[in-house]
Every structure is written in C-alpha cells, then in structure tokens.
Amino acid sequence: MARRPTIKDIARRAGVSESAVSFALNDRPGVSQDTRARIRRVAEELGWQPNSAARALSGERSGAVGLVLARPAHTLGVESFFLQLVSGIQEVLSAGRIALLFQVVEDLEAECAVYRRWWAERRVDGVLVVDPRTQDPRPALLEQLALPAVLIGGTGVPGVTGATGGTGGTAATGETGLPGGTDGAGGVAGPGGAAAPGGAASPGISAVWADDALAMAQVLAHLHSLGHRRITHIAGLPGLAHTARRMASLRSEAARLGLGPGQVRSVVTDYSDAEGAAATRRVLAEAEPPTALVYDNDVMAVAGIAVATELAIPVPDRLSIVAWDDSALCRVTHPRLTALVRDTAGFGRLAAEELLAVLAGGPPQVRKGEQPRLEPRESTAPPTAAY
C-alpha cells in the first residue's frame, strides 16, 4: 500500500518549513501569498488530504455528517424513497466536500448508541435524523450531547406532539397504544377521536417537514369524488410519526365526509412487498372488501396490483389503487398507478442545507418542503361492479 503524503513530504517538495506548510493549509497568517499558492499546488500534486481524526482531536471539524437508519435491512433494497433522499443530501454535501457517514442498525436503542459513540469519537459534525417516532428519545439525546441535528419529517411544530388531522378534526390513539387503534399485526382502525403523539420538532433542533395530513386529505377526496365508500389504507410501520399523521388525517377526513367507522380504516405493515401483499389478500377476502386501497409506498402498491390480478379483481373497475410515493415503478406498471408526487431529492437537499446552515452558526429552524400533489392515472376510477 502506498504511504499517505504528510506535511513533511510537502515541505520537502516545496522547499519550505513544516510550520509554513501548516500555516498555508490551515489558512493562517505567516506565509506570503506566493508561498501559500506553491504549497497548496504541491499538496494537490502529492494527493494530500487532511487527517479528519487528527483535526477532530484538535477541536476542528471532522468534515463529515452522519445518517443512521433504524429499519429492518430487508425493507431497504426495494424502496426508492431513501435512495432519492440520500441523493439530494449527497448533492449538497459533496459540493461542500463534506462526507456522509451512513449506518443501518436494528432499532432505536442501537441508533442512540451510535450517536453517543460518534459524539465521543468526534466522528461527525452533525447528524440528519430520519423516521421521527411518535415517542422519540432522539431529540432530547442530541440536545444533551449538543450534537447539531436536523429532524427529517417531523411535525414541523416545535414542542407540539400532536398528529394533526388535515382539514378537519383529529384522531385518537387506540386502546392498544398504537396510532389509531391498530393491533400491530394487521389490525384496523376507524374514524373518530383525538390526536396521537407524533414527531414533534425539539426547540433546539432544526426540522424539515412535509404536510402528510394534507396529502392524505387529497387522496381521500379524490377517491370519495369517484364514488368510493370502502377505503383501506395499507400503512407502514406503526411507531413512525408520519404513519400516525397519515392515519389521523384519514380518520378525520373520513368523518368530515360522513364515512362510518367500518368504511375507512388503516392496516399496518413493515413497508415490504411481502407484508403489503399479505395485507391486500386479507382485506380483499373480507365479506365487504374495500373498493379502494391506499398504500404507504410504491413497492406495496405494485404488490397490491399483483394480488388483485391473482384474484381476478380488475384494476380499476372493481378496485382502485393509490401509491403514496411516485416512482418509475408506478409509471411502468399496468395500469399506471395514481400516486402522490413529491420532490424527495429536493427534500434531502433542504435537510442538508439546513444542517450546513446550523454548522455555520445559524439558529435552529423549522422549514417546510414542497407539498406532495396527487397525480391521477389509470389505477383509479369509479367502482363499476360490486364483488
């Protein structure tokens, strides 16, 4: 393995002292502009890069930010959302020559342990926090560590723990303790009640957010206008704040539209195609199956079309399908999927820009991303036949 170039190598090649090299590379006074330019040119020729560990120990920045994802590893490879989010984050960071340190862990406890280790080792200058929980220990921990952070996808309201219900009312946490009364194993919930806790921004931590409640209201209004009165939401992980907000909005909008408790409900999954397909089979086998399904990601929606085809249920004549996140999958599937379109890469860019602003000394802020918009396609239509 080739030896990494050192300050001594640069000094020897440039014909100056090591202290002159240190002054030049750290933008400190003590050398002329011509000498500084010569030293930097030699450093570039030799391929020299600063030692981030040494700089961290000296109190300087590490030149890296962290992102930890606490989700089942098998659910990540098929979901496009995080790839698009990271691409937007990386676009901003790479322009500033800042590295992204990424780690996948099993659960929230392990994620908190990573933050403590990174802080102790001075591995990162700040972190981007995804998947806010309905009961989330991470904002308090990060404030305690004084580790700059941006919460991606919180409520956007500092100190507020409610999951608002869109344009009308709010919905209650179920007796089981999961958002909206789900049982955690594919259970269901109907309209009514008061707000579930959900992903509030901490006053000392920046947040970027999108209005999931309004997006769900758009979806339900579209399906209701087509004549659908039995609608099931195939939701994601039950502990996530955005899951709680979507479910709360679904219930409040259903109540506002006059739909009863047995007509609109949510079923929780792990976001995978396997659980999405299993939930679809289960609800379509009921005595009064839904005429429309709303899936929390594109992968589950495509799995839902496959199940409907297997059961000889035509889409959209007898079953309408909506995907939460638009992707290439939604546009190449037959029929093409009605989906919520949003600039996920732009959301990542916004989060990275906010973190860099905080690292530059700016105050924590709450910033709203672009509002998702519903793109109707061939997978939704008025129900024309009962089954």
Side-chain angles (χ1 to χ4, degrees), residues 216-282:
M216 180 60 84
Q218 290 181 54
V219 172
L220 195 60
H222 172 67
L223 294 173
H224 187 267
S225 70
L226 292 174
H228 293 279
R229 299 297 183 265
R230 298 197 305 274
I231 302 166
T232 296
H233 169 214
I234 309 295
L237 293 164
L240 300 183
H242 64 256
T243 303
R245 289 198 301 274
R246 294 173 191 180
M247 294 167 71
S249 178
L250 182 78
R251 292 190 298 271
S252 64
E253 286 301 298
R256 190 179 68 83
L257 293 169
L259 300 178
Q263 294 175 284
V264 176
R265 65 226 180 122
S266 293
V267 177
V268 294
T269 70
D270 67 355
Y271 282 112
S272 70
D273 57 330
E275 285 208 11
T280 303
R281 287 191 184 90
R282 190 163 56 247

Side-chain angles (χ1 to χ4, degrees), residues 91-115:
E91 183 179 338
V92 172
L93 297 182
S94 61
R97 302 185 68 182
I98 296 172
L100 178 64
L101 187 58
F102 178 68
Q103 188 163 344
V104 178
V105 296
E106 289 298 317
D107 53 34
L108 206 58
E109 184 178 352
E111 181 177 343
C112 290
V114 170
Y115 294 143

Side-chain angles (χ1 to χ4, degrees), residues 79 81 295-298 323-327 330 339-340 342 344:
E79 194 172 357
F81 173 82
Y295 293 86
D296 259 3
N297 67 13
D298 54 340
W324 192 269
D325 285 314
D326 189 32
S327 72
C330 298
L340 277 164
R342 57 178 170 174
T344 303

Side-chain angles (χ1 to χ4, degrees), residues 271-361:
Y271 282 112
S272 70
D273 57 330
E275 285 208 11
T280 303
R281 287 191 184 90
R282 190 163 56 247
V283 299
L284 293 181
E286 294 172 351
E288 287 191 312
T291 62
L293 296 174
V294 181
Y295 293 86
D296 259 3
N297 67 13
D298 54 340
V299 173
M300 291 197 297
V302 171
I305 283 189
V307 169
T309 301
E310 172 190 319
L311 299 176
I313 299 173
V315 176
D317 291 344
R318 283 169 53 187
L319 180 67
S320 284
I321 289 180
V322 178
W324 192 269
D325 285 314
D326 189 32
S327 72
L329 281 176
C330 298
R331 297 187 293 274
V332 300
T333 300
H334 180 74
R336 295 190 307 152
L337 283 166
T338 294
L340 277 164
V341 178
R342 57 178 170 174
D343 184 5
T344 303
F347 200 50
R349 288 193 296 271
L350 182 66
E353 288 166 359
E354 176 58 23
L355 182 56
L356 294 187
V358 171
L359 293 176

